[in-house]
Amino acid sequence: MVVWADYQTAGRGCGSNSWESERGQNLTFSVLLHPQHMAARQQFRLSMAAALAVADVVGQYADGVSVKWPNDVYVGHRKICGMLIENRLQGTMVVDSIVGIGLNVNQ
């Protein structure tokens, strides 16, 4: 499932950082995943997959794309995307993940 928002006024970043997106200027969405057979100790793989997927798409439109691990995508020295992943664990396994992505397109 993917949930898309036209804008965001109270986005959460790392720690106490906040994030805002002007109406209609960026791509802001969350993806609900249900990983199969993923141990909690392997959850960084979700960050890797999400960051590399965004970097791959952005790289089709811009040069100098890089990933600042674990969850930021840069074009040159400018951050173009941030991600926040929340996992629900059951015992030692990841059962659900919400991958929130904010991609600066026009802002």
XYZ file of all heavy atoms in Angstrom:
818
model
N 0.846 -1.161 0.000
C 0.000 0.000 0.000
C 0.897 1.232 0.000
O 1.908 1.268 0.697
C -0.902 0.017 1.239
C -1.741 1.261 1.314
S -2.664 1.503 2.865
C -3.423 -0.051 3.109
N 0.508 2.231 -0.764
C 1.209 3.510 -0.803
C 0.211 4.603 -0.464
O -0.895 4.637 -1.009
C 1.826 3.779 -2.193
C 2.472 5.157 -2.238
C 2.826 2.698 -2.563
N 0.595 5.477 0.453
C -0.226 6.623 0.824
C 0.558 7.863 0.445
O 1.704 8.043 0.866
C -0.556 6.624 2.331
C -1.343 7.869 2.711
C -1.302 5.361 2.716
N -0.050 8.726 -0.356
C 0.593 9.919 -0.883
C -0.032 11.152 -0.231
O -1.228 11.182 0.042
C 0.398 9.940 -2.398
C 0.667 11.249 -3.046
C 1.888 11.782 -3.323
C -0.291 12.189 -3.502
N 1.741 13.007 -3.935
C 0.393 13.272 -4.051
C -1.685 12.229 -3.490
C -0.244 14.376 -4.583
C -2.321 13.325 -4.023
C -1.598 14.384 -4.570
N 0.793 12.170 0.017
C 0.299 13.436 0.573
C 0.710 14.572 -0.351
O 1.815 14.570 -0.888
C 0.876 13.660 1.970
N -0.176 15.526 -0.539
C 0.109 16.681 -1.388
C 1.088 17.645 -0.715
O 1.817 18.362 -1.368
C -1.190 17.404 -1.735
C -1.001 18.464 -2.795
O -0.246 18.215 -3.753
O -1.607 19.545 -2.664
N 1.090 17.668 0.611
C 2.013 18.516 1.367
C 2.174 17.932 2.759
O 1.432 17.043 3.166
C 1.515 19.958 1.448
C 0.247 20.128 2.244
C 0.291 20.537 3.574
C -0.993 19.883 1.668
C -0.868 20.686 4.304
C -2.154 20.041 2.387
C -2.091 20.439 3.703
O -3.241 20.588 4.431
N 3.142 18.470 3.492
C 3.385 17.990 4.844
C 3.851 19.153 5.701
O 4.733 19.918 5.311
C 4.440 16.889 4.828
C 4.594 16.179 6.130
C 5.438 14.916 5.987
O 6.224 14.792 5.071
N 5.261 13.999 6.894
N 3.228 19.300 6.877
C 3.580 20.408 7.760
C 4.234 19.953 9.055
O 4.797 20.767 9.770
C 2.334 21.239 8.117
O 1.385 20.383 8.762
C 1.724 21.862 6.873
N 4.153 18.689 9.365
C 4.702 18.199 10.633
C 5.439 16.884 10.436
O 5.270 15.947 11.211
C 3.588 18.052 11.665
N 6.243 16.814 9.393
C 7.004 15.602 9.140
C 8.062 15.404 10.212
O 8.534 16.352 10.825
N 8.418 14.155 10.433
C 9.418 13.834 11.441
C 10.721 13.458 10.768
O 10.740 12.729 9.789
C 8.940 12.659 12.291
C 7.758 13.016 13.128
C 7.296 11.925 14.062
N 8.064 10.705 14.041
C 7.532 9.497 14.097
N 6.232 9.363 14.143
N 8.282 8.434 14.099
N 11.785 13.944 11.321
C 13.116 13.578 10.862
C 13.830 12.811 11.954
O 13.221 12.360 12.919
N 15.113 12.708 11.818
C 15.933 12.021 12.797
C 15.942 12.813 14.101
O 16.074 14.038 14.104
C 17.344 11.865 12.244
S 18.425 10.915 13.312
N 15.785 12.118 15.206
C 15.786 12.781 16.502
C 14.621 13.739 16.625
O 13.478 13.376 16.395
N 14.911 14.996 16.925
C 13.850 15.989 17.100
C 13.683 16.874 15.865
O 12.948 17.856 15.898
C 14.155 16.866 18.322
O 15.371 17.565 18.125
N 14.335 16.534 14.765
C 14.231 17.336 13.541
C 12.840 17.211 12.929
O 12.220 16.157 12.980
C 15.271 16.900 12.511
C 16.685 17.215 12.956
O 16.904 18.134 13.729
N 17.632 16.449 12.478
N 12.378 18.306 12.335
C 11.091 18.289 11.633
C 11.328 18.534 10.152
O 12.413 18.943 9.741
C 10.146 19.347 12.204
O 10.686 20.629 12.002
N 10.304 18.275 9.362
C 10.416 18.426 7.917
C 9.098 18.945 7.396
O 8.026 18.504 7.827
C 10.755 17.074 7.289
C 11.069 17.135 5.833
C 12.256 17.497 5.264
C 10.192 16.827 4.754
N 12.163 17.432 3.903
C 10.896 17.013 3.553
C 8.865 16.418 4.673
C 10.345 16.804 2.312
C 8.310 16.199 3.432
C 9.053 16.395 2.271
N 9.139 19.911 6.481
C 7.939 20.472 5.879
C 8.047 20.423 4.369
O 9.135 20.471 3.809
C 7.746 21.928 6.308
C 7.476 22.092 7.773
C 7.240 23.530 8.166
O 7.204 24.409 7.281
O 7.077 23.778 9.367
N 6.901 20.312 3.719
C 6.846 20.289 2.263
C 5.717 21.196 1.807
O 4.587 21.064 2.275
C 6.591 18.848 1.779
O 6.378 18.830 0.396
N 6.025 22.113 0.907
C 4.997 23.012 0.381
C 3.999 22.239 -0.479
O 4.347 21.249 -1.117
C 5.658 24.113 -0.444
C 6.531 25.039 0.370
C 7.210 26.095 -0.479
O 6.823 26.286 -1.648
O 8.142 26.726 0.035
N 2.784 22.722 -0.504
C 1.709 22.078 -1.265
C 2.092 21.910 -2.736
O 2.468 22.863 -3.410
C 0.429 22.891 -1.161
C -0.765 22.247 -1.849
C -2.030 23.053 -1.676
N -2.405 23.247 -0.288
C -3.098 22.363 0.441
N -3.468 21.224 -0.105
N -3.412 22.625 1.689
N 2.011 20.682 -3.223
C 2.208 20.384 -4.635
C 3.631 20.520 -5.152
O 3.841 20.468 -6.356
N 4.615 20.673 -4.273
C 5.976 20.922 -4.724
C 6.890 19.690 -4.694
O 7.930 19.687 -5.336
C 6.615 22.020 -3.879
C 5.935 23.359 -4.023
C 6.019 23.868 -5.453
O 7.092 23.996 -6.019
N 4.862 24.133 -6.047
N 6.526 18.678 -3.930
C 7.422 17.540 -3.710
C 6.652 16.232 -3.727
O 5.425 16.212 -3.771
C 8.127 17.710 -2.361
C 8.860 19.030 -2.278
O 9.785 19.272 -3.025
N 8.407 19.904 -1.385
N 7.380 15.153 -3.678
C 6.772 13.830 -3.545
C 6.902 13.402 -2.088
O 8.015 13.265 -1.571
C 7.476 12.816 -4.443
C 7.347 13.053 -5.937
C 8.213 12.065 -6.708
C 5.897 12.910 -6.369
N 5.776 13.248 -1.430
C 5.754 12.811 -0.033
C 4.800 11.633 0.052
O 3.612 11.765 -0.233
C 5.304 13.950 0.895
O 4.063 14.473 0.430
C 6.334 15.078 0.916
N 5.341 10.503 0.449
C 4.512 9.298 0.492
C 5.094 8.291 1.463
O 6.259 8.355 1.846
C 4.372 8.685 -0.899
C 5.672 8.337 -1.570
C 6.178 7.051 -1.506
C 6.384 9.290 -2.275
C 7.369 6.726 -2.119
C 7.578 8.982 -2.905
C 8.075 7.691 -2.823
N 4.260 7.356 1.865
C 4.671 6.260 2.725
C 4.273 4.955 2.074
O 3.213 4.854 1.444
C 4.013 6.359 4.105
O 4.470 7.504 4.789
N 5.126 3.964 2.228
C 4.896 2.639 1.663
C 4.805 1.646 2.819
O 5.710 1.599 3.670
C 6.040 2.226 0.712
C 5.788 0.857 0.118
C 6.231 3.269 -0.382
N 3.724 0.872 2.854
C 3.562 -0.177 3.862
C 4.093 -1.484 3.285
O 3.673 -1.913 2.212
C 2.088 -0.337 4.238
C 1.749 -1.502 5.176
C 2.450 -1.353 6.513
C 0.242 -1.605 5.340
N 5.035 -2.078 3.990
C 5.639 -3.341 3.552
C 5.396 -4.412 4.599
O 5.295 -4.123 5.796
C 7.151 -3.178 3.365
C 7.616 -2.099 2.397
C 9.135 -1.964 2.466
C 7.173 -2.440 0.982
N 5.320 -5.645 4.152
C 5.210 -6.806 5.031
C 6.356 -7.759 4.683
O 6.167 -8.713 3.921
C 3.865 -7.511 4.843
C 2.686 -6.612 5.013
N 2.285 -6.119 6.236
C 1.832 -6.099 4.108
C 1.227 -5.358 6.071
N 0.930 -5.322 4.794
N 7.555 -7.486 5.205
C 8.698 -8.337 4.863
C 8.455 -9.787 5.269
O 7.859 -10.050 6.313
C 9.848 -7.749 5.679
C 9.407 -6.380 6.056
C 7.917 -6.421 6.134
N 8.916 -10.688 4.446
C 8.785 -12.114 4.728
C 10.126 -12.645 5.230
O 11.145 -12.459 4.574
C 8.370 -12.880 3.466
C 7.034 -12.455 2.911
C 5.895 -12.799 3.839
O 5.774 -13.920 4.313
N 5.068 -11.807 4.129
N 10.114 -13.274 6.381
C 11.306 -13.937 6.917
C 12.462 -12.981 7.136
O 13.615 -13.311 6.841
C 11.736 -15.093 6.010
C 10.622 -16.000 5.622
N 9.976 -16.810 6.533
C 10.005 -16.196 4.437
C 9.024 -17.485 5.919
N 9.017 -17.121 4.651
N 12.197 -11.765 7.633
C 13.264 -10.810 7.904
C 13.483 -10.692 9.404
O 12.601 -10.237 10.136
C 12.959 -9.432 7.324
C 14.047 -8.415 7.657
S 13.843 -6.846 6.833
C 14.464 -7.298 5.223
N 14.657 -11.097 9.844
C 15.010 -10.972 11.251
C 15.225 -9.498 11.589
O 15.665 -8.715 10.748
C 16.278 -11.771 11.549
N 14.927 -9.134 12.823
C 15.082 -7.750 13.259
C 16.514 -7.270 13.049
O 16.735 -6.115 12.695
C 14.679 -7.610 14.723
N 17.479 -8.134 13.210
C 18.881 -7.745 13.041
C 19.213 -7.417 11.581
O 20.254 -6.851 11.289
C 19.818 -8.820 13.570
C 19.833 -10.087 12.770
C 20.796 -11.128 13.368
N 20.898 -12.285 12.535
C 19.998 -13.262 12.458
N 18.908 -13.207 13.204
N 20.183 -14.289 11.660
N 18.307 -7.734 10.647
C 18.515 -7.461 9.227
C 17.720 -6.255 8.733
O 17.707 -5.972 7.540
C 18.106 -8.687 8.391
C 18.921 -9.919 8.681
C 18.364 -11.130 7.951
O 17.151 -11.287 7.799
N 19.258 -11.997 7.503
N 17.100 -5.505 9.628
C 16.204 -4.430 9.193
C 16.905 -3.321 8.426
O 16.267 -2.588 7.677
C 15.393 -3.888 10.357
C 16.186 -3.333 11.500
C 15.298 -3.026 12.692
O 14.309 -2.292 12.562
N 15.636 -3.566 13.841
N 18.227 -3.191 8.551
C 18.942 -2.193 7.759
C 18.789 -2.472 6.264
O 18.886 -1.549 5.448
C 20.425 -2.142 8.142
C 21.194 -1.104 7.380
C 20.922 0.249 7.546
C 22.166 -1.467 6.479
C 21.616 1.206 6.835
C 22.871 -0.508 5.762
C 22.594 0.828 5.941
N 18.510 -3.693 5.901
C 18.296 -4.029 4.483
C 17.129 -3.242 3.892
O 17.134 -2.913 2.704
C 18.069 -5.523 4.307
C 19.304 -6.331 4.607
C 19.046 -7.798 4.428
N 20.248 -8.556 4.745
C 20.371 -9.850 4.554
N 19.365 -10.546 4.049
N 21.480 -10.465 4.865
N 16.125 -2.930 4.705
C 15.003 -2.115 4.228
C 15.475 -0.698 3.902
O 15.103 -0.135 2.880
C 13.883 -2.073 5.274
C 13.178 -3.399 5.538
C 12.286 -3.286 6.760
C 12.378 -3.827 4.320
N 16.313 -0.134 4.769
C 16.872 1.198 4.503
C 17.716 1.182 3.241
O 17.638 2.099 2.420
C 17.749 1.657 5.679
O 16.970 1.886 6.812
N 18.528 0.151 3.098
C 19.379 0.047 1.912
C 18.535 -0.024 0.646
O 18.799 0.686 -0.324
C 20.279 -1.193 1.999
C 21.369 -1.063 3.022
S 22.569 -2.432 3.146
C 21.979 -3.713 2.129
N 17.512 -0.872 0.655
C 16.675 -1.039 -0.536
C 15.953 0.255 -0.886
O 15.912 0.653 -2.056
C 15.671 -2.172 -0.313
N 15.385 0.929 0.111
C 14.651 2.165 -0.146
C 15.582 3.262 -0.656
O 15.279 3.933 -1.651
C 13.928 2.621 1.123
N 16.709 3.453 0.001
C 17.642 4.510 -0.401
C 18.204 4.247 -1.792
O 18.301 5.163 -2.615
C 18.773 4.631 0.622
N 18.572 3.008 -2.079
C 19.123 2.689 -3.397
C 18.070 2.806 -4.492
O 18.379 3.224 -5.610
C 19.758 1.306 -3.393
C 21.032 1.191 -2.551
C 21.485 -0.264 -2.452
C 22.139 2.067 -3.117
N 16.815 2.466 -4.186
C 15.744 2.600 -5.176
C 15.518 4.065 -5.530
O 15.417 4.426 -6.711
C 14.455 1.969 -4.646
N 15.454 4.928 -4.509
C 15.264 6.361 -4.776
C 16.468 6.911 -5.532
O 16.314 7.642 -6.515
C 15.025 7.140 -3.469
C 15.076 8.644 -3.712
C 13.685 6.755 -2.855
N 17.674 6.550 -5.109
C 18.885 7.039 -5.784
C 18.918 6.595 -7.241
O 19.322 7.363 -8.118
C 20.134 6.545 -5.049
N 18.466 5.385 -7.511
C 18.443 4.881 -8.883
C 17.490 5.700 -9.747
O 17.830 6.089 -10.873
C 18.035 3.402 -8.890
C 18.086 2.795 -10.270
O 19.149 2.885 -10.928
O 17.063 2.226 -10.703
N 16.310 5.990 -9.235
C 15.333 6.779 -10.004
C 15.834 8.208 -10.190
O 15.801 8.744 -11.308
C 13.952 6.762 -9.321
C 13.008 7.753 -9.982
C 13.358 5.361 -9.367
N 16.308 8.838 -9.127
C 16.800 10.212 -9.234
C 17.988 10.265 -10.194
O 18.125 11.215 -10.972
C 17.178 10.770 -7.846
C 17.897 12.104 -7.965
C 15.935 10.911 -6.978
N 18.815 9.230 -10.184
C 19.974 9.169 -11.070
C 19.616 9.145 -12.545
O 20.453 9.448 -13.398
N 18.372 8.820 -12.870
C 17.922 8.852 -14.257
C 17.679 10.291 -14.726
O 17.552 10.541 -15.921
C 16.652 8.017 -14.415
C 16.890 6.539 -14.162
C 15.603 5.731 -14.237
O 14.702 6.045 -15.006
N 15.518 4.691 -13.426
N 17.601 11.231 -13.777
C 17.294 12.624 -14.094
C 18.383 13.603 -13.678
O 18.329 14.770 -14.071
C 15.981 13.034 -13.413
C 14.827 12.182 -13.837
C 14.448 11.064 -13.090
C 14.131 12.450 -15.008
C 13.392 10.259 -13.491
C 13.075 11.647 -15.417
C 12.718 10.553 -14.650
O 11.682 9.757 -15.050
N 19.332 13.158 -12.872
C 20.374 14.059 -12.367
C 21.689 13.309 -12.228
O 21.705 12.103 -12.010
C 19.953 14.626 -11.014
N 22.777 14.050 -12.343
C 24.111 13.483 -12.144
C 24.565 13.738 -10.709
O 24.071 14.641 -10.039
C 25.111 14.135 -13.108
C 24.821 13.792 -14.559
O 24.357 12.666 -14.823
O 25.053 14.660 -15.426
N 25.518 12.956 -10.261
C 26.109 13.167 -8.943
C 25.245 12.713 -7.792
O 25.302 13.278 -6.702
N 24.441 11.668 -8.000
C 23.550 11.161 -6.951
C 24.341 10.246 -6.023
O 25.110 9.401 -6.473
C 22.355 10.399 -7.561
C 21.478 9.803 -6.471
C 21.550 11.318 -8.457
N 24.135 10.436 -4.717
C 24.786 9.580 -3.731
C 23.849 9.351 -2.555
O 22.867 10.073 -2.381
C 26.099 10.199 -3.243
O 25.842 11.425 -2.584
N 24.163 8.340 -1.774
C 23.381 8.020 -0.581
C 24.239 8.305 0.636
O 25.401 7.902 0.698
C 22.940 6.537 -0.581
C 22.235 6.187 0.717
C 22.053 6.235 -1.773
N 23.671 9.035 1.584
C 24.296 9.212 2.894
C 23.535 8.280 3.828
O 22.376 8.534 4.159
C 24.187 10.663 3.364
C 24.808 10.882 4.727
C 24.621 12.314 5.186
C 25.055 12.436 6.635
N 24.438 13.607 7.250
N 24.181 7.218 4.194
C 23.514 6.176 4.980
C 23.165 6.703 6.369
O 23.905 7.481 6.941
C 24.402 4.938 5.076
C 24.678 4.369 3.726
C 25.855 4.424 3.049
C 23.755 3.701 2.881
N 25.722 3.828 1.832
C 24.436 3.366 1.697
C 22.408 3.339 2.986
C 23.835 2.709 0.639
C 21.814 2.682 1.936
C 22.520 2.371 0.791
N 22.004 6.319 6.866
C 21.188 5.235 6.354
C 20.006 5.662 5.497
O 19.350 4.810 4.902
C 20.656 4.587 7.635
C 20.492 5.733 8.572
C 21.628 6.672 8.241
N 19.713 6.988 5.383
C 18.414 7.305 4.791
C 18.326 8.621 4.045
O 17.243 9.171 3.915
C 17.349 7.289 5.887
C 17.684 8.234 7.022
O 18.708 8.902 7.012
N 16.826 8.291 8.011
N 19.421 9.158 3.560
C 19.368 10.415 2.822
C 19.946 10.238 1.425
O 20.915 9.508 1.244
C 20.175 11.510 3.526
C 19.581 11.897 4.872
O 18.351 11.785 5.040
O 20.353 12.321 5.753
N 19.334 10.911 0.454
C 19.831 10.887 -0.920
C 20.239 12.311 -1.281
O 19.497 13.267 -1.020
C 18.766 10.351 -1.903
C 19.271 10.412 -3.335
C 18.371 8.924 -1.529
N 21.416 12.442 -1.852
C 21.976 13.738 -2.229
C 22.187 13.807 -3.730
O 22.460 12.792 -4.372
C 23.331 13.954 -1.551
C 23.228 14.405 -0.118
C 22.846 13.528 0.893
C 23.516 15.718 0.222
C 22.749 13.950 2.204
C 23.426 16.155 1.547
C 23.042 15.260 2.520
O 22.944 15.682 3.815
N 22.081 15.015 -4.276
C 22.545 15.329 -5.624
C 23.626 16.373 -5.425
O 23.344 17.489 -4.958
C 21.417 15.853 -6.533
C 21.982 16.317 -7.866
C 20.359 14.774 -6.750
N 24.846 15.997 -5.713
C 25.969 16.866 -5.373
C 26.055 16.984 -3.867
O 26.059 15.985 -3.155
N 26.058 18.225 -3.371
C 26.139 18.463 -1.931
C 24.791 18.834 -1.327
O 24.739 19.276 -0.177
C 27.166 19.571 -1.638
C 28.550 19.209 -2.052
N 29.287 18.234 -1.432
C 29.333 19.658 -3.053
C 30.454 18.112 -2.012
N 30.510 18.977 -3.015
N 23.716 18.655 -2.104
C 22.392 19.048 -1.615
C 21.523 17.825 -1.348
O 21.390 16.949 -2.192
C 21.702 19.951 -2.634
C 22.507 21.247 -2.848
C 21.777 22.205 -3.677
N 20.637 22.689 -2.876
C 19.833 23.640 -3.272
N 20.005 24.195 -4.444
N 18.845 24.040 -2.521
N 20.930 17.821 -0.163
C 20.024 16.734 0.191
C 18.742 16.890 -0.611
O 18.117 17.949 -0.611
C 19.725 16.775 1.691
C 18.814 15.662 2.162
C 18.656 15.734 3.664
C 17.623 14.755 4.157
N 17.486 14.813 5.625
N 18.365 15.822 -1.303
C 17.155 15.857 -2.114
C 16.063 14.950 -1.548
O 14.894 15.089 -1.879
C 17.462 15.499 -3.586
C 16.269 15.814 -4.474
C 17.906 14.065 -3.719
C 16.549 15.735 -5.952
N 16.451 14.035 -0.668
C 15.475 13.083 -0.151
C 15.863 12.608 1.242
O 17.032 12.354 1.514
C 15.385 11.880 -1.093
S 14.251 10.598 -0.531
N 14.857 12.490 2.081
C 15.027 11.896 3.398
C 13.987 10.812 3.596
O 12.908 10.858 2.997
N 14.307 9.831 4.408
C 13.402 8.714 4.662
C 13.362 8.408 6.150
O 14.352 8.602 6.850
C 13.884 7.461 3.931
C 13.837 7.592 2.439
S 14.582 6.166 1.679
C 15.637 7.005 0.528
N 12.234 7.943 6.589
C 12.083 7.485 7.957
C 11.374 6.141 7.886
O 10.317 6.027 7.255
C 11.269 8.478 8.781
C 11.055 8.121 10.238
C 12.388 8.120 10.986
C 10.098 9.090 10.893
N 11.968 5.139 8.496
C 11.385 3.795 8.472
C 11.020 3.396 9.886
O 11.835 3.491 10.800
C 12.364 2.776 7.856
C 12.703 3.183 6.429
C 11.769 1.370 7.912
C 13.722 2.301 5.748
N 9.787 2.965 10.043
C 9.318 2.437 11.323
C 8.949 0.979 11.126
O 8.199 0.642 10.199
C 8.121 3.227 11.828
C 8.480 4.661 12.179
C 7.347 5.394 12.859
O 6.304 4.777 13.152
O 7.509 6.595 13.085
N 9.492 0.133 11.987
C 9.248 -1.307 11.889
C 8.438 -1.792 13.080
O 8.617 -1.314 14.200
C 10.580 -2.069 11.856
C 11.390 -1.737 10.640
O 10.890 -1.759 9.529
N 12.650 -1.415 10.833
N 7.567 -2.747 12.815
C 6.849 -3.432 13.892
C 7.452 -4.819 13.992
O 7.509 -5.549 12.993
C 5.352 -3.506 13.615
C 4.567 -4.091 14.800
C 3.078 -3.944 14.613
N 2.580 -4.710 13.500
C 2.097 -5.956 13.599
N 2.065 -6.567 14.762
N 1.650 -6.575 12.522
N 7.915 -5.131 15.186
C 8.554 -6.420 15.409
C 7.615 -7.358 16.134
O 6.778 -6.933 16.935
C 9.831 -6.243 16.246
C 10.864 -5.253 15.732
C 12.037 -5.178 16.691
C 11.331 -5.633 14.338
N 7.793 -8.626 15.841
C 7.093 -9.681 16.570
C 8.164 -10.696 16.932
O 8.690 -11.394 16.048
C 6.006 -10.303 15.703
C 5.059 -11.204 16.471
C 3.890 -11.574 15.593
O 4.070 -12.181 14.536
N 2.696 -11.214 16.018
N 8.515 -10.716 18.209
C 9.644 -11.547 18.624
C 10.921 -10.995 18.013
O 11.247 -9.832 18.183
N 11.598 -11.809 17.243
C 12.854 -11.386 16.605
C 12.676 -11.083 15.123
O 13.657 -10.917 14.400
C 13.925 -12.476 16.760
O 13.471 -13.668 16.109
C 14.222 -12.752 18.227
N 11.429 -10.976 14.667
C 11.159 -10.794 13.241
C 10.484 -9.454 12.963
O 9.704 -8.954 13.769
C 10.262 -11.917 12.718
C 10.801 -13.320 12.963
S 12.402 -13.629 12.205
C 11.921 -13.772 10.495
N 10.791 -8.877 11.801
C 10.089 -7.688 11.314
C 8.827 -8.177 10.617
O 8.896 -8.991 9.697
C 10.964 -6.894 10.319
C 10.187 -5.702 9.768
C 12.258 -6.447 10.969
N 7.675 -7.691 11.054
C 6.428 -8.133 10.429
C 5.794 -7.044 9.562
O 5.097 -7.353 8.599
C 5.404 -8.667 11.458
C 5.907 -9.956 12.082
C 5.107 -7.650 12.540
N 6.010 -5.775 9.914
C 5.486 -4.669 9.126
C 6.498 -3.537 9.135
O 7.191 -3.319 10.135
C 4.179 -4.105 9.713
C 3.066 -5.113 9.737
O 2.744 -5.662 8.673
O 2.510 -5.342 10.830
N 6.548 -2.802 8.033
C 7.410 -1.627 7.940
C 6.667 -0.519 7.214
O 5.980 -0.776 6.228
C 8.688 -1.939 7.161
O 9.472 -2.869 7.845
N 6.820 0.678 7.708
C 6.317 1.857 7.000
C 7.539 2.660 6.599
O 8.326 3.087 7.447
C 5.372 2.703 7.862
C 4.147 1.892 8.252
C 4.971 3.973 7.106
C 3.209 2.604 9.203
N 7.695 2.843 5.291
C 8.820 3.592 4.746
C 8.277 4.951 4.295
O 7.546 5.025 3.309
C 9.473 2.852 3.555
C 10.646 3.643 3.008
C 9.898 1.444 3.964
N 8.594 5.986 5.046
C 8.174 7.342 4.701
C 9.256 8.010 3.885
O 10.423 8.028 4.286
N 8.887 8.559 2.729
C 9.853 9.163 1.812
C 9.413 10.583 1.490
O 8.272 10.819 1.110
C 9.973 8.334 0.519
C 10.486 6.924 0.848
C 10.886 9.031 -0.498
C 10.513 5.965 -0.320
N 10.349 11.505 1.641
C 10.126 12.892 1.241
C 11.170 13.258 0.202
O 12.361 13.301 0.500
N 10.731 13.458 -1.035
C 11.631 13.735 -2.142
C 11.420 15.171 -2.615
O 10.337 15.518 -3.092
C 11.369 12.750 -3.287
C 12.229 12.865 -4.531
C 13.697 12.656 -4.204
C 11.763 11.855 -5.571
N 12.440 16.006 -2.441
C 12.355 17.407 -2.841
C 12.450 17.482 -4.373
O 13.485 17.175 -4.946
C 13.493 18.210 -2.230
C 13.446 18.213 -0.723
O 12.390 18.042 -0.134
N 14.580 18.387 -0.103
N 11.372 17.884 -4.990
C 11.338 17.982 -6.450
C 11.433 19.433 -6.893
O 12.245 19.778 -7.735
C 10.038 17.324 -7.008
C 9.984 17.454 -8.518
C 9.979 15.848 -6.605
N 10.601 20.289 -6.328
C 10.548 21.697 -6.750
C 10.802 22.686 -5.629
O 10.675 23.877 -5.825
C 9.166 22.001 -7.352
C 8.941 21.239 -8.624
O 9.763 21.278 -9.522
N 7.823 20.543 -8.716
N 11.100 22.235 -4.459
C 11.258 23.133 -3.312
C 12.722 23.313 -2.982
O 13.471 22.386 -2.929
C 10.511 22.569 -2.096
C 10.483 23.495 -0.932
C 9.601 22.943 0.199
O 8.771 22.084 -0.015
N 9.799 23.444 1.387
